[in-house]
Amino acid sequence: MAGKIIDGKFIAKKIREELASGVSSFKEKTGRAPRIDVILVGDNPASHVYVGMKEKAAAEIGIKSVKHEFPSITEKDLIELVKKLKNDREVNGILVQLPLPKDINEENVLSAITAEKDVDGFLAENLGWLCRGKERLQSCTPLGVMKMLEHESVEIEGKHAVVIGRSNIVGKPMMLMLLNKNATVTVCHSRTKDLASHTKTADILVAAAGVPEMVKANMVKDGAVVIDVGTTKVDGKLKGDVDFEGVKERTSLITPVPGGVGPMTIAMLMYNTLQAAKKQEGI
Ligand code: GUN
């Protein structure tokens, strides 16, 4: 069975089009555009690329994005800025691009954002709401995965979902989102013994370990839905966590890298920004 490839680029474009019309009606009602403020510290090349992609998506949809860029900044000054943006009614979403330079404590900076403006869905409060089964601002990558599954009409209830990876940004919220849709969820990670014994029983397999091509064909059940969240640069090329060519023969649905989950993450950031803006304006 050769799996159908899920076209994340196409689904993300459709979502962005829907969002553009949502932004238009927000503008009609409030007289202004939703606004996201993006903070970028240091010279990490990938971070600069990601922020550029976020700005482009925002502009295309009609969301105002304001970039605060610093070659370096103290933790104290950064927290001051976050607090200023948090108290600015014009600002609907605050995004601090990660990773931050090593001399800045990420937790201290993130916790200065208010949950209502946490469009990344990274804050403990928003993760806590997700844990309680309530939909507030949710982490963009796993939310994008859920939208892809929904778009492809993948049944989740009662299915065995296996998530490889336990990060606060992807693995843990992914586990919760699948659980909230009544999947039976197994979370595997770097210390899991006999990974294949778990992945082979997955109806839905989400690979978010950051290890290029670690998921091989013999680790996947026939007919599984395989979602590849991995993006590692290898010899200048983006590689997923799944050995795509081998694995696709066994799946019913599979996401490619690039063009799978990546575009969905950015679309979900725009979705969260519009949701946050609407909630703040009581719409
Ligand atoms: N660094 C890598 N991915 C992300 C993301 O989704 N949000 C933020 N803020 N930083 C990141």
Side-chain angles (χ1 to χ4, degrees):
M1 174 190 261
K4 181 188 160 204
I5 296 169
I6 306 180
D7 188 346
K9 228 170 140 176
F10 172 78
I11 304 169
K13 184 164 177 280
K14 253 180 73 171
I15 291 173
R16 289 198 305 271
E17 282 162 10
E18 285 162 20
L19 289 173
S21 89
V23 167
S24 292
S25 60
F26 179 90
K27 281 180 182 163
E28 275 166 29
K29 288 185 185 121
T30 64
R32 67 174 189 89
R35 172 174 154 182
I36 179 173
D37 281 50
V38 179
I39 301 173
L40 176 58
V41 183
D43 57 3
N44 183 315
S47 290
H48 280 257
V49 171
Y50 288 140
V51 167
M53 287 158 74
K54 290 167 186 176
E55 287 182 294
K56 184 167 166 269
E60 189 189 306
I61 293 169
I63 289 175
K64 180 175 176 181
S65 71
V66 177
K67 185 163 71 173
H68 306 265
E69 195 176 340
F70 307 94
S72 71
I73 188 170
T74 65
E75 183 178 313
K76 185 167 167 285
D77 287 348
L78 186 54
I79 291 173
E80 277 310 305
L81 171 64
V82 171
K83 285 184 176 164
K84 194 177 122 230
L85 298 174
K86 166 170 143 177
N87 294 323
D88 185 340
R89 291 204 49 176
E90 297 277 301
V91 178
N92 301 117
I94 303 169
L95 182 148
V96 179
Q97 186 65 29
L98 303 179
L100 286 168
K102 290 197 171 42
D103 56 326
I104 298 178
N105 182 308
E106 233 162 65
E107 293 289 346
N108 291 347
V109 176
L110 291 181
S111 58
I113 304 173
T114 178
E116 286 74 25
K117 297 189 179 185
D118 170 33
V119 285
D120 261 325
F122 286 177
L123 290 195
E125 191 177 331
N126 282 321
L127 198 57
W129 281 116
L130 183 63
C131 191
R132 292 179 66 99
K134 298 277 185 286
E135 295 192 353
R136 302 289 172 99
L137 292 169
Q138 300 176 59
S139 188
C140 299
T141 297
L143 186 59
V145 171
M146 295 307 284
K147 295 273 177 192
M148 283 177 126
L149 295 175
E150 190 185 317
H151 184 271
E152 300 298 324
S153 307
V154 173
E155 203 184 310
I156 296 172
E157 181 159 321
K159 294 290 154 79
H160 184 209
V162 174
V163 179
I164 311 173
R166 56 175 160 176
S167 70
N168 292 324
I169 296 174
V170 181
K172 285 179 200 162
M174 188 78 257
M175 162 190 83
L176 292 167
M177 287 176 202
L178 290 162
L179 185 62
N180 289 346
K181 293 287 180 205
N182 302 317
T184 302
V185 188
T186 301
V187 181
C188 300
H189 47 79
S190 53
R191 311 281 168 87
T192 296
K193 293 199 171 100
D194 194 4
L195 177 65
S197 71
H198 300 283
T199 58
K200 272 197 272 193
T201 65
D203 301 306
I204 301 167
L205 178 61
V206 181
V211 180
E213 300 187 336
M214 68 176 288
V215 176
K216 306 288 185 198
N218 61 5
M219 296 168 70
V220 176
K221 180 166 129 177
D222 275 328
V225 174
V226 175
I227 307 289
D228 191 349
V229 180
T231 50
T232 311
K233 270 250 170 93
V234 180
D235 300 329
K237 278 179 88 176
L238 218 50
K239 288 268 179 221
D241 286 356
V242 176
D243 174 17
F244 182 81
E245 288 307 323
V247 171
K248 84 165 191 284
E249 299 305 321
R250 306 199 64 162
T251 59
S252 57
L253 286 166
I254 186 166
T255 64
V257 174
V261 176
M264 295 297 292
T265 297
I266 295 178
M268 289 304 106
L269 177 66
M270 301 300 125
Y271 171 83
N272 278 350
T273 304
L274 179 59
Q275 292 301 110
K278 282 164 73 173
K279 189 144 191 234
Q280 287 158 33
E281 291 293 337
I283 297 172

